[in-house]
Amino acid sequence: MNAWVAPLLKPEPVALMVLIILLGSFIQGMRRGASGSAKHLFFFIWQAVSVVIALVLAGRGASRLSPVIRDWLEARNIIVPQEELSAAKELWYTVVTSLRDFELLRFGALFLVLYSLVRYLLRLLEPLCYMLYDALMQPAKHADQVTRRGRPSAYGRLSGTASRTTGALIGALLGGGRAFLVIAVLFVYVTLAPHALGADAIRSSAIYAKTAAELLDPVAGDVLKRGPVITDAVQAEFRRVLQRKYEVIDAAVPANIEAAAAEVTKQSDNDEAKARALYDWIGTRIAYDWDKANNYVEHGVWKEQTPTETFDTRKGVCIDVARLYAVMARSVGLDVRVVTGLGATGNGSYGPHAWNEVRLASSGAWIPLDATWASSGDWFNPAGFSSTHIRET
């Protein structure tokens, strides 16, 4: 017991929070008495069991349904129309194609739906739990009523001070459960985001460290220890969804851009020649918009820009150039994608950047190119491209 009390008495935020929870539950238990505290403990345990059941069923259900949903969506052969879409249709095609193509997103969506459904169904059982609790406590309630009429009983002796003492002990037990849940939430937070705000302060807590080492680590196993990897995967999936949004928005190619792309590539007789011609054209005609970049870096103001605006104004930042290249390349039959990640800044560091990759039909290979950097050299599939461009994975 002393091994747990000593860390709890150290003056730091996590220990203070645990003490407040324990003290509050102790006082509530004393006020409710034995029967009231027992009732709260019963339904606290029921809620905890419900959450565990919902998590297990949702996880297993999502794992089994995910490939079924993927196959069903693939069978629908959903193709984004090459026309101007309303905001609602853009959202629809982004969501549907993302669910079809992105496994982690599909699993997460199914998990949330199934978890919510199971929790709802379990809540429907709560009246039965009340009936069960009342049935179990009926003898005690009867004994309490007998005591009030002046005939003492075994349970009646818990009235008054004894009832409040028993309630306080049950309340302390309930507080321990609540404190454990709070530390478990902190454990998940620190594990999934080890460098997040407050993570170091949480890890430095003696009571947190002891609970994590002796109770949470053995239960979590390797699942949460892979937390940073899982977090990176979620972030990468989210970026892919954002990229899919651009693909849906940019599916419609304006007639003037399509005509320009056709004119630029009319002398090209293969995919690589077309890709190179578009790289040269965009790289020499689209100026980098330093005002837009500085406005974002210095003031956090970002101006969303369509490929049409980039084409008309002849300026944009890397994502604008990459999106325009993708639209023009797609209009002449090239398989192209926008790639986001980090680009070398020239001073030994890296910053957010975007470029393109084009698939050559003759070999099936994807070749990288960076039309934004065209003014500083030849960035059409050069050797060592990956040393200056780190794609998000």
Side-chain angles (χ1 to χ4, degrees), residues 134-202:
D134 288 339
L136 292 173
M137 296 300 293
Q138 192 62 41
K141 289 183 177 180
H142 177 71
D144 192 36
Q145 291 172 354
V146 169
T147 299
R148 292 195 194 102
R149 289 195 293 268
R151 293 192 293 273
S153 67
Y155 181 77
R157 286 192 290 272
L158 287 176
S159 300
T161 302
S163 177
R164 288 193 293 273
T165 302
T166 304
L169 294 175
I170 296 174
L173 181 62
L174 182 58
R178 290 169 174 166
F180 177 79
L181 287 180
V182 170
I183 293 180
V185 170
L186 295 178
F187 178 74
V188 173
Y189 172 73
V190 168
T191 305
L192 295 183
H195 304 296
L197 179 66
D200 290 338
I202 294 171

Side-chain angles (χ1 to χ4, degrees), residues 119-303:
R119 288 285 286 140
Y120 173 75
L121 293 176
L122 290 175
R123 285 193 187 98
L124 297 180
L125 297 177
E126 287 190 1
L128 294 178
C129 292
Y130 279 105
M131 294 174 60
L132 175 63
Y133 178 83
D134 288 339
L136 292 173
M137 296 300 293
Q138 192 62 41
K141 289 183 177 180
H142 177 71
D144 192 36
Q145 291 172 354
V146 169
T147 299
R148 292 195 194 102
R149 289 195 293 268
R151 293 192 293 273
S153 67
Y155 181 77
R157 286 192 290 272
L158 287 176
S159 300
T161 302
S163 177
R164 288 193 293 273
T165 302
T166 304
L169 294 175
I170 296 174
L173 181 62
L174 182 58
R178 290 169 174 166
F180 177 79
L181 287 180
V182 170
I183 293 180
V185 170
L186 295 178
F187 178 74
V188 173
Y189 172 73
V190 168
T191 305
L192 295 183
H195 304 296
L197 179 66
D200 290 338
I202 294 171
R203 280 191 292 266
S204 66
S205 166
I207 187 65
Y208 169 83
K210 185 171 181 61
T211 305
E214 298 188 14
L215 300 178
L216 295 173
D217 267 336
V219 175
D222 292 332
V223 176
L224 281 179
K225 292 176 182 178
R226 293 166 52 211
V229 176
I230 296 172
T231 302
D232 290 343
V234 171
Q235 291 175 345
E237 195 90 312
F238 179 70
R239 288 190 291 266
R240 293 173 69 190
V241 173
L242 292 180
Q243 181 176 328
R244 177 56 53 84
K245 183 193 77 169
Y246 286 138
E247 293 172 359
V248 171
I249 293 173
D250 298 342
V253 183
N256 60 332
I257 295 181
E258 185 175 9
E263 178 66 24
V264 170
T265 59
K266 66 180 180 180
Q267 302 296 330
S268 306
D269 56 3
N270 58 59
D271 287 347
E272 186 169 2
K274 288 181 180 179
R276 178 79 197 206
L278 289 172
Y279 165 86
D280 290 336
W281 190 88
I282 291 178
T284 56
R285 284 165 177 78
I286 307 301
Y288 193 81
D289 192 345
W290 289 104
D291 290 337
K292 176 178 178 177
N294 292 334
N295 201 30
Y296 176 71
V297 172
E298 296 173 4
H299 306 290
V301 177
W302 174 255
K303 177 184 179 297

Side-chain angles (χ1 to χ4, degrees), residues 1-10 206-207 210 214:
M1 179 63 71
N2 289 336
W4 287 93
V5 173
L8 190 59
L9 296 179
K10 292 187 176 180
I207 187 65
K210 185 171 181 61
E214 298 188 14

Side-chain angles (χ1 to χ4, degrees), residues 8-31:
L8 190 59
L9 296 179
K10 292 187 176 180
E12 45 87 12
V14 176
L16 180 61
M17 179 173 57
V18 170
L19 282 173
I20 291 175
I21 293 173
L22 291 174
L23 182 59
S25 298
F26 181 86
I27 294 174
Q28 284 182 334
M30 184 179 297
R31 294 177 59 186

